[in-house]
Every structure is written in C-alpha cells, then in structure tokens.
Amino acid sequence: MTRSYILHMFTPGRQMSPFDVNMAIDAGYDMAIPYCDVDTKNIGAMTQDAIFSRGPKSVAHTGIFIGGRDVVQAAEMLALARKAMVPPFEVSVCADPSGSYTTAAALVATVERQLRKAHQTDFAGRRVLVVGGSGAVGRIAGALASQLGAQVWLSNRSGSEAAARLSEETNRCFNALTEGVVIRNSTELQSVLADTDIVLATASAGVQVVGEAERSSARKLLVAADVNAVPPAGIEGVGVMDDGKRIGSSDAVGIGALAIGNVKYQVQHRLFKRMREAGKPVYLGFEEAMAMAREVVAELG
Ligand SMILES: NC(=O)c1ccc[n+]([C@@H]2O[C@H](COP(=O)([O-])OP(=O)(O)OC[C@H]3O[C@@H](n4cnc5c(N)ncnc54)[C@H](OP(=O)(O)O)[C@@H]3O)[C@@H](O)[C@H]2O)c1
C-alpha cells in the first residue's frame, strides 16, 4: 500500500499561515492539514492522536508542524510534542512560529557570510543592535547572534522594565546572553548606533526604523541587514535585493529582505524535506534552522 505524506499543522491562533501550507506541499507533503487552538495544554494529546493510527512503519510519512506567533510558546510546544511520543510510535516535528526561526536563521547566516566576505571577520565580540528586538524574528536573530559570540542589544519601545523582561526570557528560553535597550526616538537610536558593528532591522513590515541620518551616525558599522520587504525599506539605503552592496561611501555593506528571503525559503523547504526523508524522527527548532541556513549560504560561496 502506498501511503500519503501527511503533515499535521498546529497553531494556537485562529488560522494556520497559508505561507507555511504552501511550503509544506511544495516540499512534498501530499496533505497539509491545519488545526487551530492547539497550544501547550492540548499538544500532547493531539500528538498522540497523530502517532498511533498509522503504525511505526509510517514514521516518515507523518509529520507535525508548529506555527503561531509566539516564539516561546512554540518552543514549549515542540518540547511537549517530543515528550508525548511513545516509541516506536514517533514522528518528526518542526516549529517555525511566524516564520521566525527560519527567517532569523537566514538573516544571521547571510550576515555571517558578508562579515567574512567583506570584512574577514565574524560575530565573535561584535556589537549587534536588533531594531524591532521585541518581535518574533528579532528575538530569535538576537539569540542566534549571541550564540555566535556577539554582544546583542534587543531594542524595545515599551520601557526599561519590558526590555529587561524580554531579553531575560529570550536568554532563558533560547540559551543566549542578550541585553534589552530602550530606543524611543532618533537621538537614542543614534547614540546606540555609534557603538554598533552590525544592525539587524526586524521591525514590523512597512516601517522604516533606521533613516539615512541615523545610519550615518554608525561609524563602526560593518553590516546592515533588513528583513522588511514592504516599502519603505527598514534601513534607508539598503535595497531589497542587496547582498553585500556597499552603503553610500561607507565601508558597511547592506543585505536586503529578498536576499534573506531566498535563503529563508530554502531553509524551510529543506527542513520539511528532511522530515520526510530522514527515516527516523527529527525535531527541528531554531538551532536546526541555523545549521540549515549555514548549509544553504555555504552553497552561495
Ligand atoms: N524576508 C523574509 O523572508 C521575511 C520572512 C518573515 C518575516 N519577515 C519580516 O520580518 C519582520 C519581523 O517580523 P515579526 O513577525 O517579528 O514582526 P512583528 O511582530 O510585526 O514586529 C516586530 C517588532 O517591530 C516593532 N516595531 C513596530 N513598529 C516599530 C517602529 N516604528 N519602530 C521600532 N520598532 C517597531 C514592534 O515592537 P514594539 O514592541 O515596540 O511595538 C514589534 O515587536 C517583518 O518586517 C516581516 O515582514 C521577513
């Protein structure tokens, strides 16, 4: 009997992302079935409902995807789904809430590539500012840069208490060492940028967070990367297609949203394929996304 590849797609929210459904089908799943209202309370039961009916031989033919918008909740759900497995009844699980794990991995891997190519250096000891550091992509990008040895500021507009709480939670949940920084206006941004080697713009789509004047105040800047593909650019002077293009007359190079998006697409596609082809259960979170992003980026040369 030929068995279909089935992906059960769980989200705590009201709907599963059509982006993720498309990605799953394009990566070879025959069926991608969305379930809403699945969170830490019921993911164990939902996982066990998914694993028993097809028998241990169909392990590679059944998978679970965890979406939603909350990076911490998704990490908890991934751990709980894994705990609910009853070997040999065990299937692969991948989490990518709001596309943040794969986008952040693509962002950090493309920056790492340009640090090496344009400046013969890496993240170790570098000062990284994540503008939009309270969002899903920003928190994970900050955690990944920190794991690579950078000193990371996660920016926040809500005040010092919120900034500290968010970076503490990010550090605890994602094995990182970031610091929160409050940036509410251009003067505060310029003051932090003066000490910044790498700026990552991860704020909401369609919002410019670093203008020309602010970027010019970043005299030590090596790389400026922007994940926002919706005009205006998140960082003025960085085009969506840029991948290592010098910014103005500075030594800094820019990376735009579509250059990052191309890597993100490949990372998510390959993670889904890996779930189907591994032959044994795999558990894929933000660290596995980072390893995959480095693989994809290495192929770019
Ligand atoms: N290129 C790709 O492949 C790709 C893939 C996925 C997502 N994205 C992009 O990645 C970005 C981040 O996604 P997300 O889901 O993490 O975003 P999000 O949750 O919508 O926003 C991230 C943060 O942006 C901050 N923000 C909003 N307006 C701001 C402003 N004027 N100044 C400073 N900060 C501001 C918010 O912080 P507060 O807490 O201060 O409000 C929010 O926490 C989006 O632009 C999205 O389109 C790109």
Side-chain angles (χ1 to χ4, degrees):
M1 180 173 79
T2 30
R3 284 181 186 270
S4 307
Y5 284 97
I6 300 176
L7 187 65
H8 299 287
M9 304 185 80
F10 298 157
T11 175
R14 284 195 300 145
Q15 70 259 319
M16 174 53 62
S17 149
F19 184 101
D20 293 325
V21 174
N22 290 347
M23 291 295 299
I25 299 289
D26 287 346
Y29 279 98
D30 299 304
M31 272 167 274
I33 300 151
Y35 304 78
C36 304
D37 270 331
V38 182
D39 58 21
T40 50
K41 289 191 288 300
N42 57 353
I43 190 156
M46 291 294 284
T47 298
Q48 291 186 345
D49 222 12
I51 60 177
F52 287 122
S53 54
R54 305 186 90 194
K57 282 199 182 135
S58 284
V59 67
H61 287 74
T62 314
I64 290 174
F65 176 80
I66 296 166
R69 301 233 358 114
D70 183 328
V71 291
V72 172
Q73 186 181 32
E76 285 169 3
M77 287 170 69
L78 178 61
L80 288 168
R82 184 172 193 165
K83 201 167 153 214
M85 300 298 172
V86 184
F89 297 93
E90 190 177 3
V91 304
S92 292
V93 186
C94 176
D96 194 17
S98 232
S100 61
Y101 292 3
T102 49
T103 304
L107 168 61
V108 171
T110 52
V111 170
E112 187 177 46
R113 173 169 175 260
Q114 288 304 338
L115 283 171
R116 195 175 53 246
K117 279 182 76 159
H119 301 290
Q120 298 75 53
T121 189
D122 57 24
F123 274 101
R126 296 291 175 189
R127 272 287 186 188
V128 174
L129 171 63
V130 185
V131 189
S134 57
V137 175
R139 294 176 75 181
I140 299 300
L144 288 168
S146 162
Q147 289 188 355
L148 294 173
Q151 295 173 272
V152 177
W153 285 305
L154 296 179
S155 87
N156 195 300
R157 295 182 298 169
S158 308
S160 51
E161 215 175 284
R165 195 179 53 245
L166 217 77
S167 74
E168 185 279 321
E169 186 188 51
T170 302
N171 295 346
R172 182 166 32 83
C173 298
F174 301 108
N175 189 26
L177 211 60
T178 66
E179 252 179 278
V181 62
V182 179
I183 298 180
R184 287 188 169 134
N185 54 47
S186 177
T187 311
E188 288 174 353
L189 176 57
Q190 290 191 38
S191 140
V192 179
L193 278 171
D195 284 327
T196 295
D197 300 303
I198 298 151
V199 62
L200 310 178
T202 62
S204 305
V207 178
Q208 184 158 96
V209 282
V210 181
E212 175 65 31
E214 288 139 355
R215 196 196 40 74
S216 306
S217 67
R219 303 203 186 284
K220 297 163 62 185
L221 198 65
L222 301 174
V223 177
D226 179 16
V227 290
N228 162 40
V230 180
I235 301 175
E236 193 172 7
V238 176
V240 283
M241 299 298 290
D242 291 357
D243 191 4
K245 187 173 168 202
R246 297 241 162 243
I247 307 173
S249 56
S250 74
D251 284 339
V253 297
I255 308 174
L258 296 188
I260 296 161
N262 285 339
V263 174
K264 178 246 164 21
Y265 175 88
Q266 278 298 325
V267 171
Q268 191 172 358
H269 183 79
R270 292 185 195 190
L271 290 177
F272 278 143
K273 273 187 80 176
R274 188 164 152 209
M275 286 171 77
R276 286 199 307 106
E277 291 169 2
K280 66 179 177 96
V282 290
Y283 297 92
L284 307 174
F286 77 107
E287 282 164 323
E288 289 75 18
M290 183 65 205
M292 189 63 89
R294 279 177 141 173
E295 248 180 74
V296 172
V297 158
E299 291 168 18
L300 299 175

